[in-house]
Amino acid sequence: MTYIAKPKLHHPGLKTNKLGFTHRDYEGRVSTLCAGCGHDSISAALIQACFELDIEPHRVAKLSGIGCSSKTPDYFLGNAHGFNSVHGRMPSVLTGANLANRDLIYLGVSGDGDSASIGLGQFAHCVRRGVNMVYICENNGVYGLTKGQFSATADKGSKSKAGGVNNDSPIDLVSLAIVLGATFVARSFSGDKHQLVPLIKAAIAHEGPAVIDIISPCVQFNNHAGSTKSFDFVRAHNEAVNKIDFVPDREEITASYAPGTVTMVKQHDGSFLKLSKVDASYDATNRVAAMAYLQEREAKGEIVTGLLYIDETAEDIHKNLGTVKTPLNRLGEKELCPGSAKLAALNDEYR
Ligand SMILES: Cc1ncc(C[n+]2csc(CCOP(=O)(O)OP(=O)(O)O)c2C)c(N)n1
Ligand code: SF4
Ligand SMILES: [Mg+2]
């Protein structure tokens, strides 16, 4: 653990992005997590993704619940908006913030305990309502912060550090997210930056509920033999269905991609995802087939990673509710209070 503040000075030769920012401008405070914790690798991937996308940090809102994972928004994008909420309640706070101001990029950061145990109902409703966000679950199968109890994503039969066996059935957040109506669903591994960074970039560009379940080993309480969320286990059982390249809207597609194993997916914002299929039979745009594939592979003990499902025609909650485009804090008194005659007319509509 370290509490030493990061020096503000940095090497003048550091690479800058189109905004003139360096990687350092996307960092946060020094992490207080255990050395080697998977969650820190996810923060590093988020920093890289935002740097490469030339995002202005003040356009991002980071929201979290409670847990080691939920502490991480303090360790990246120090100049973004942040709200560390209550255990399992991040989704409703994020939904409210998004409804008030759709102009920000919403990053919901949570843990498996936060999302699949206490916050399962919140997770479900936030996804099914179509909130435009990137929902990240840093999944280690345990309650890391409270010293390693099994969470609801722990696999049946997996062993705790103290030797206890989990007898409960696990909740698979990616299958659940697909069933609930998420329009971008992916799974990755904190130790695979090459897969994770493009997935985060694509999820940010996606206009709809994007869920990324990231297996993130807890080196303190869930990295032993018998755990199915350890570095060794995930490396041995990881089956990537596709390799994703993210092409921003402003970049011309120059390379010609080999047909057959490559699919180009266009998102609403004009960006493209180049999906090189590792498994040629996998179709990430077919919801039913994706569900069947996940179940088949899971039964064989494989952890399927990559972009698992995408709906290119996604629509978000604002479209469904017909809300005003301008963020509420930029509306004047006239728009917010249109007068008693208008209110009476509105009430009449519901009589
Ligand atoms: C309402 C409430 N219940 C229980 C707790 C205790 N608690 C704090 S963190 C946590 C679990 C966190 O697990 P997870 O979301 O998986 O995060 P991790 O620490 O593993 O990253 C629990 C049960 C709490 N803070 N608030
Ligand atoms: S207890 Fe586990 S989840 Fe928490 S910081 Fe340590 S390694 Fe990470
Ligand atoms: Mg956890």
Side-chain angles (χ1 to χ4, degrees):
M1 257 191 218
T2 174
Y3 294 96
I4 303 166
K6 280 187 187 175
K8 291 224 163 61
L9 288 172
H10 55 70
H11 194 279
L14 277 188
K15 198 176 151 198
T16 52
N17 63 11
K18 293 205 170 103
L19 299 172
F21 290 143
T22 70
H23 197 265
R24 297 289 317 272
D25 295 310
Y26 292 85
E27 291 180 350
R29 276 192 258 216
V30 175
S31 170
T32 60
L33 303 186
C34 307
C37 175
H39 299 350
D40 277 335
S41 309
I42 300 171
S43 298
L46 281 160
I47 289 170
Q48 191 175 329
C50 292
F51 170 79
E52 289 177 7
L53 283 177
D54 307 310
I55 289 174
E56 293 163 298
H58 70 269
R59 284 202 49 238
V60 177
K62 315 166 286 184
L63 296 102
S64 61
I66 297 290
C68 298
S69 34
S70 292
K71 284 169 69 179
T72 64
D74 206 21
Y75 313 141
F76 62 85
L77 296 184
N79 294 319
H81 306 275
F83 196 103
N84 188 199
S85 73
V86 180
H87 197 23
R89 270 58 169 190
M90 174 272 282
S92 52
V93 181
L94 189 152
T95 305
N98 185 306
L99 283 172
N101 186 351
R102 62 162 83 182
D103 281 358
L104 300 178
I105 295 163
Y106 288 91
L107 290 182
V109 180
S110 181
D112 42 305
D114 201 60
S115 291
S117 298
I118 193 169
L120 187 62
Q122 293 249 333
F123 169 74
H125 292 291
C126 184
V127 169
R128 65 176 268 277
R129 285 186 179 128
V131 179
N132 184 11
M133 62 178 172
V134 180
Y135 192 111
I136 288 178
C137 180
E138 305 191 346
N139 190 348
N140 52 19
V142 289
Y143 300 165
L145 190 73
T146 53
K147 303 207 176 299
Q149 302 85 352
F150 288 123
S151 79
T153 66
D155 288 307
K156 198 168 187 165
S158 62
K159 282 207 183 97
S160 73
K161 195 177 175 185
V165 177
N166 179 41
N167 294 317
D168 299 333
S169 294
I171 290 175
D172 177 20
L173 286 172
V174 297
S175 301
L176 190 60
I178 296 175
V179 169
L180 290 168
T183 48
F184 181 110
V185 182
R187 179 157 47 211
S188 192
F189 173 44
S190 63
D192 187 352
K193 200 170 150 189
H194 294 297
Q195 184 188 55
L196 186 53
V197 173
L199 279 175
I200 294 173
K201 286 161 81 175
I204 290 175
H206 185 75
E207 290 173 16
V211 175
I212 314 181
D213 179 37
I214 308 171
I215 315 239
S216 175
C218 168
V219 289
Q220 194 63 252
F221 299 109
N222 208 10
N223 198 31
H224 47 271
S227 157
T228 57
K229 300 272 192 287
S230 66
F231 278 110
D232 285 348
F233 188 92
V234 179
R235 283 199 187 106
H237 296 80
N238 187 348
E239 285 293 321
V241 281
N242 46 36
K243 196 178 146 293
I244 175 174
D245 263 354
F246 177 77
V247 187
D249 58 342
R250 53 187 183 272
E251 262 172 44
E252 205 188 334
I253 300 178
T254 46
S256 60
Y257 297 119
T261 58
V262 174
T263 312
M264 298 298 287
V265 179
K266 190 174 185 196
Q267 303 219 81
H268 276 317
D269 70 340
S271 63
F272 277 92
L273 311 184
K274 186 194 126 198
L275 280 176
S276 316
K277 294 190 195 181
V278 174
D279 185 328
S281 69
Y282 193 77
D283 179 4
T285 59
N286 183 335
R287 193 165 178 250
V288 178
M291 286 292 294
Y293 187 95
L294 283 170
Q295 301 288 323
E296 269 167 37
R297 294 302 168 119
E298 195 190 297
K300 291 185 179 155
E302 289 169 8
I303 303 168
V304 180
T305 61
L307 178 61
L308 305 174
Y309 175 64
I310 184 162
D311 176 357
E312 299 157 78
T313 62
E315 282 177 349
D316 90 326
I317 191 170
H318 290 279
K319 178 96 194 304
N320 301 338
L321 293 178
T323 55
V324 62
K325 282 207 171 87
T326 315
L328 301 189
N329 63 359
R330 273 187 245 148
L331 293 176
E333 196 185 334
K334 215 171 136 227
E335 291 103 343
L336 290 169
C337 186
S340 43
K342 285 241 165 79
L343 181 63
L346 187 69
N347 281 338
D348 281 345
E349 281 179 33
Y350 297 103
R351 288 213 167 91

